Amino acid sequence: MAEKSSIFDMIGPVMIGPSSSHTAGVVRIARAAIRILGALPVEATVTFYNSFARTYEGHGSDRAIIAGLLDFKTDDTRIKEAFEHAKERGLKYSFKSVGNASTMHPNTIKLNLAAADGRMAEVVGQSRGGGVISIVEVDGFPSNFSANLHTLIIDADDVTGSIAFIANVIAHDDCNIATMNVSRKGRHDLARQFIEMDSGLRPISLEYIRQLSWVKNVIYIPNIDL
């Protein structure tokens, strides 16, 4: 009798699985999230919404999200043993499911992450199919970036001309801005800029931005697939 294959035997070098939304996209959301955190997490709470909430175990999304949190790429053969690798590395994790969140995309995941040095991040991502993702919220700030491009996240005081100033710095590096999304918690309160660029910034430009008196924090995420 032929040996039966498990669902995870289908997740091969090109991340072929029951659904790329439930495998490749999930890995990529997690890999974007750990770059926002700035470290591999030591604790993670994963909340699956809607379609994901009903199918994440059977379709392998639970292993895929843990693999991404370990920074495994979508073609990594270790994905099917992600739980074992997480235990070896000391990653503590838990899963939650919310099956009826009508305002959310069918394939939505929220990650609450903590690093060993105390840093924390909350990231909400959507898996759009074919491995395409959108990071739609970071620490309560609305965002909309794909992680396919070089992404700059800047926390800054809400000062006049700040957006134009940052855009000018980017232009001096001959970087083309593909998308920009800016949100703030209130007038003259902390603002967060999400900027996607076709190419990367020079280290000296990143350091210059970090040294600006009204800039509080800078996160730079190269294309997560590199």
Side-chain angles (χ1 to χ4, degrees), residues 28 131-133 145-151 196-197 222-225:
R28 297 184 76 247
V132 176
I133 68 169
F145 65 92
S146 67
N148 284 333
L149 303 173
H150 299 265
T151 305
E196 287 188 291
M197 302 166 292
N223 183 328
I224 62 169
D225 296 318

Side-chain angles (χ1 to χ4, degrees), residues 63-180:
R63 294 179 186 264
I65 198 72
I66 298 303
L69 292 176
L70 297 174
D71 207 21
F72 296 173
K73 292 186 177 182
T74 57
D75 61 353
D76 197 312
T77 57
R78 295 174 294 174
I79 289 173
K80 60 184 179 181
E81 289 96 23
F83 294 161
E84 290 79 3
H85 287 288
K87 184 177 180 180
E88 291 173 2
R89 299 192 186 190
L91 171 60
K92 298 179 181 179
Y93 59 87
S94 61
F95 299 122
K96 297 181 179 180
S97 59
V98 179
N100 187 23
S102 59
T103 62
M104 290 185 165
H105 184 276
N107 295 334
T108 298
I109 298 174
K110 181 171 71 175
L111 294 167
N112 291 91
L113 307 178
D117 62 3
R119 280 179 290 177
M120 303 181 74
E122 181 180 278
V123 179
V124 180
Q126 300 171 348
S127 183
R128 300 285 184 98
V132 176
I133 68 169
S134 179
I135 303 300
V136 296
E137 188 176 299
V138 178
D139 298 329
F141 288 94
S143 63
N144 184 22
F145 65 92
S146 67
N148 284 333
L149 303 173
H150 299 265
T151 305
L152 189 60
I153 303 174
I154 300 174
D155 289 341
D157 292 332
D158 184 25
V159 299
T160 302
S162 60
I163 296 171
F165 189 94
I166 295 297
N168 189 53
V169 174
I170 293 171
H172 273 84
D173 270 10
D174 292 324
C175 293
N176 184 53
I177 294 176
T179 69
M180 177 183 286

Side-chain angles (χ1 to χ4, degrees), residues 7-18 23-24 73-80:
I7 201 73
F8 301 107
D9 293 328
M10 290 184 276
I11 304 177
V14 293
M15 202 63 184
I16 299 172
T23 51
K73 292 186 177 182
T74 57
D75 61 353
D76 197 312
T77 57
R78 295 174 294 174
I79 289 173
K80 60 184 179 181

